[in-house]
Amino acid sequence: MITMGINAVYHDDSACIVRDGVVVAAVEDERFTHVKHGKRPVPFNTWQLPFHAIDYCLKEAGIAMADVDHVAYSFHPDTFCEGYRGQGTITLPLEPSARRDGLDMNQSPWDPLFLSYIVNAPRQLAGGAPHHIAERFRGIRHDGPFKWHYVEHHLAHEASAFLAAPFEECAVLTMDGRGECATTSYGCYRDGCYRRIKQIDLPDSLGLLYEDVTRYLGFLHSSDEYKVMALASYGEPRYIDVFRRIMKADEQGNHRVERADLEKIFGPARRRGAPLKQRHFDIAQSLQKALEETVLKMAQWLQRETGMKNLAMAGGVALNCVMNARIRDHGPFEQVWVQPAAGDAGTSLGAALWVDWAERLARGDGARKWRMDHAFLGPAYSDKEIEEFLRWTQVPFRRLDDVPAEAAKLLAEDRILGWFQGRMEFGPRALGGRSIIASPLKAQMQARLNEIKDREDFRPVAPVVLEDKCNEWFVTGRSAAAGKDSIAAERHVTGVPAPFMLFVFDVRPDKAGRIPAVRHVDGTARVQTIRREQNPAYYDVIAAFERRTGVPVLVNTSFNTRGEPIVCTPRDAVECFWTSPLDGLVIGSYLLEKRAP
């Protein structure tokens, strides 16, 4: 049985294929179109299906669209329409943007157009594929041969968590800007069954509040929220009481988010590119701390309600690695796992897993057959394909006899390398498939990398560390929180894998001077741990660097420059290399270098 998952509604449109319970491929459309996040979340773009991502997934599975049994679309129009009950037929006026009459605060005059594209998505899939990739879409109609399923947005988030997590049972928490109606959902996966316990609906949205502050601070909402998280480390929580009034949680798992005019409260919004002032840092810090307090309270209720030891999370808010660490270190769960494509891209994964699971359950086979041990679910290119492309471009290159050792030598010489190996990552984090890697030994490396990527100066860079050496260099905050409870302290200080770069750790004070490039201003680092079975080439280059320097840590940041998605193809990698100040590119078994000036 083959199930295709599609996310196409808001942003980060993506596709996924599951075959008999096992994920074959998952990828964002942006990696092929070069439009970051695939599109902006506006009604006019709902018609866009992730055709390039779908085409890749079909190719990886060795099939055509006509071979797919089920298509799972991660948004349910009936649930969305429930908000219009009692208001008559949904109609589209000729000038939607000029109309507000008869609509409540959660509705838009563009909703009929938005909805029309969603209910017509099967017809778009059948007849809308771009000409150059249309071959794999031949022989299908909007009514088959596949069966079409609409999967509620937050259910897709939930399934992407509990059906991918390394737990036999767990509590589930999802938080984002909005789905059809829900903004937060709580659930419990136990004894092979899943039950949603509670949901919070619009207008009470933690994600939309974070978006509003992102926009107020001069960044692009539904895109740059991670910049606000980084900005927060430079501030003080001077305005935390303001955000505590806006964002309130009770003891029953509920939260309220009041509408707030941020300009009335804080003064004029920062314009894009304008200087950052201390009040901007303080607003970001206050929002971040209030969010952490709120979600921690929510997690405490969820644990009391379910009695679970493990928590799985998804939704765009769960990409906030500082908040995740707060839940890990101060929350009631023994283990916290976050799905690496936690944003909307991951709903294609969740929708496909949910429909596959439901269909197999109906046949008496509900066993889970896959866990998300890594995120390398995108395209890969063989050495043969890479060499053919490099020869065609006539760029100078050479084959490496020992890729890890020769790359480590360059890194130890403070060379900054593009790293293009194996399958591409699914989700927003580069995790060693399409990364820029560098030495962490000098503090100046952060500024050099931000210059190469044309990023803001306040942005940190992250470390990757060999998993079995993580405890020697980084520590969770749980040891302090555990106090005299040595068992709890030991459990959370040692053996904490973080393969998806979704938690911050404290840099051990005795090691801070050795790896200054990856230590953020607040003493933390957004750590990725790596085991060899997850990515042998990546592990080996870090191990080779350790043999040269004594440090089992590298800087890892995404292989892209400002405004561009992470590179996907050899062409993308070579273009990024030659149009940025990178020193070298290790692509498969080959090395490209620039001559020293």
Side-chain angles (χ1 to χ4, degrees):
M1 182 177 65
I2 297 172
T3 305
M4 169 73 71
I6 295 174
N7 169 54
V9 173
Y10 293 122
H11 50 82
D12 295 302
D13 46 337
S14 63
C16 172
I17 275 192
V18 174
R19 176 185 276 129
D20 296 326
V22 177
V23 176
V24 175
V27 69
E28 296 94 328
D29 211 49
E30 67 165 23
R31 308 294 166 87
F32 306 97
T33 65
H34 294 266
V35 178
K36 199 164 187 180
H37 301 293
K39 57 187 178 183
R40 294 300 297 155
V42 296
F44 324 107
N45 285 347
T46 311
W47 68 270
Q48 289 184 239
L49 295 181
F51 279 110
H52 295 84
I54 294 171
D55 182 67
Y56 159 70
C57 289
L58 294 171
K59 178 183 178 183
E60 187 68 33
I63 59 173
M65 196 68 217
D67 300 313
V68 173
D69 299 297
H70 300 275
V71 175
Y73 186 96
S74 62
F75 195 91
H76 207 304
D78 292 348
T79 306
F80 182 77
C81 287
E82 288 177 2
Y84 282 86
R85 283 180 177 172
Q87 297 188 32
T89 304
I90 299 177
T91 58
L92 179 66
L94 290 178
E95 294 183 283
S97 60
R99 178 178 178 243
R100 286 298 311 178
D101 57 295
L103 299 174
D104 69 28
M105 64 192 301
N106 300 322
Q107 296 169 345
S108 163
W110 295 100
D111 282 350
L113 180 62
F114 173 84
L115 185 64
S116 173
Y117 290 143
I118 293 168
V119 298
N120 282 286
R123 294 173 177 82
Q124 289 288 97
L125 181 62
H131 178 73
H132 64 289
I133 59 171
E135 187 61 35
R136 289 192 181 88
F137 296 84
R138 298 193 191 283
I140 62 171
R141 294 165 44 87
H142 72 276
D143 55 355
F146 50 77
K147 182 178 179 181
W148 187 273
H149 305 258
Y150 287 109
V151 179
E152 189 242 340
H153 185 78
H154 269 260
L155 180 57
H157 274 314
E158 291 163 340
S160 79
F162 76 86
L163 286 175
F167 307 135
E168 294 300 326
E169 59 180 27
C170 60
V172 180
L173 173 59
T174 75
M175 303 162 286
D176 67 1
R178 65 165 296 173
E180 299 86 349
C181 301
T183 65
T184 294
S185 67
Y186 302 93
C188 180
Y189 176 62
R190 176 187 282 125
D191 298 329
C193 298
Y194 181 70
R195 177 174 66 94
R196 181 177 295 178
I197 299 169
K198 177 180 286 196
Q199 71 181 54
I200 311 298
D201 292 338
L202 289 167
D204 299 308
S205 172
L206 302 174
L208 291 182
L209 173 61
Y210 215 96
E211 283 190 12
D212 288 344
V213 177
T214 298
R215 187 187 299 108
Y216 174 83
L217 291 174
F219 302 115
L220 181 62
H221 74 281
S222 299
S223 176
D224 291 345
E225 283 73 18
Y226 61 94
K227 296 183 182 180
V228 176
M229 183 184 69
L231 202 68
S233 300
Y234 294 85
E236 297 293 333
R238 287 199 299 133
Y239 306 107
I240 193 166
D241 288 339
V242 173
F243 285 105
R244 284 171 175 163
R245 290 193 295 270
I246 295 172
M247 183 175 15
K248 303 173 185 176
D250 65 19
E251 300 298 328
Q252 302 304 315
N254 303 302
H255 65 71
R256 297 293 305 274
V257 179
E258 303 292 340
R259 295 244 169 175
D261 187 330
L262 298 177
E263 293 208 29
K264 280 187 178 179
I265 297 172
F266 298 120
R270 173 180 174 264
R271 296 178 67 87
R272 180 178 182 272
L276 285 162
K277 300 180 179 178
Q278 187 59 44
R279 71 182 184 91
H280 299 132
F281 301 138
D282 294 343
I283 290 168
Q285 174 66 278
S286 301
L287 169 69
Q288 178 66 33
K289 289 298 184 186
L291 175 70
E292 292 169 23
E293 290 178 355
T294 300
V295 178
L296 182 59
K297 201 169 187 178
M298 292 160 56
Q300 290 166 341
W301 173 83
L302 179 58
Q303 200 282 327
R304 290 195 303 270
E305 189 72 11
T306 63
M308 287 290 173
K309 296 179 179 180
N310 304 317
L311 173 66
M313 296 202 300
V317 177
L319 291 171
N320 190 307
C321 59
V322 179
M323 178 197 76
N324 295 343
R326 180 80 177 271
I327 297 170
R328 176 199 65 198
D329 295 344
H330 298 273
F333 293 97
E334 291 184 10
Q335 296 186 79
V336 180
W337 185 86
V338 182
Q339 194 264 109
D344 278 1
T347 62
S348 66
L349 171 72
L353 286 172
W354 176 262
V355 169
D356 168 87
W357 188 51
E359 292 294 322
R360 289 189 296 107
L361 271 174
R363 302 175 188 179
D365 176 21
R368 287 179 57 199
K369 301 180 179 181
W370 177 82
R371 294 184 177 189
M372 200 169 192
D373 297 321
H374 62 79
F376 302 108
L377 298 170
Y381 297 86
S382 66
D383 273 356
K384 181 176 183 293
E385 292 173 301
I386 292 169
E387 183 174 350
E388 286 177 352
F389 174 74
L390 294 177
R391 291 193 182 283
W392 178 78
T393 63
Q394 300 184 38
V395 298
F397 68 94
R398 64 183 176 91
R399 188 180 184 98
L400 300 177
D401 295 324
D402 187 333
V403 172
E406 294 185 65
K409 178 178 183 296
L410 294 171
L411 293 166
E413 295 169 354
D414 281 336
R415 309 291 292 278
I416 299 174
L417 304 178
W419 180 257
F420 185 105
Q421 302 289 328
R423 295 185 74 176
M424 186 180 66
E425 305 88 340
F426 182 49
R429 308 280 193 250
L431 300 170
R434 305 289 184 272
S435 292
I436 293 174
I437 56 176
S439 166
L441 303 183
K442 295 180 180 178
Q444 308 92 285
M445 186 58 74
Q446 181 213 5
R448 285 182 62 194
L449 285 163
N450 282 340
E451 180 185 4
I452 284 173
K453 298 189 65 171
D454 193 23
R455 304 195 320 175
E456 296 88 350
D457 292 343
F458 65 83
R459 300 270 300 278
V461 291
V464 56
V465 59
L466 303 181
E467 185 179 300
D468 58 355
K469 301 293 179 69
C470 179
N471 305 313
E472 300 173 17
W473 294 80
F474 305 97
V475 62
T476 75
R478 188 71 180 214
S479 56
K484 295 181 180 179
D485 186 348
S486 60
I487 295 175
E490 183 69 13
R491 181 179 71 235
H492 287 274
V493 171
T494 64
V496 182
F500 304 128
M501 204 183 286
L502 283 168
F503 296 88
V504 296
F505 290 62
D506 294 327
V507 179
R508 285 191 179 274
D510 61 321
K511 295 294 197 296
R514 302 284 307 279
I515 51 172
V518 297
R519 186 176 182 270
H520 198 27
V521 65
D522 59 1
T524 66
R526 189 182 68 190
V527 172
Q528 178 196 2
T529 60
I530 185 71
R531 298 193 309 272
R532 194 172 192 280
E533 56 266 32
Q534 293 167 327
N535 188 329
Y538 194 39
Y539 181 96
D540 288 348
V541 73
I542 303 165
F545 183 80
E546 181 188 24
R547 288 193 292 273
R548 284 187 168 271
T549 65
V551 176
V553 179
L554 287 177
V555 180
N556 168 34
T557 187
S558 56
F559 193 171
N560 65 327
T561 52
R562 179 181 284 196
E564 286 290 323
I566 298 172
V567 303
C568 174
T569 67
R571 177 186 289 272
D572 297 340
V574 171
E575 287 180 351
C576 187
F577 169 65
W578 285 112
T579 57
S580 69
L582 282 169
D583 297 313
L585 168 61
V586 180
I587 178 168
S589 297
Y590 304 96
L591 173 67
L592 283 67
E593 290 185 278
K594 293 170 184 166
R595 291 191 180 92

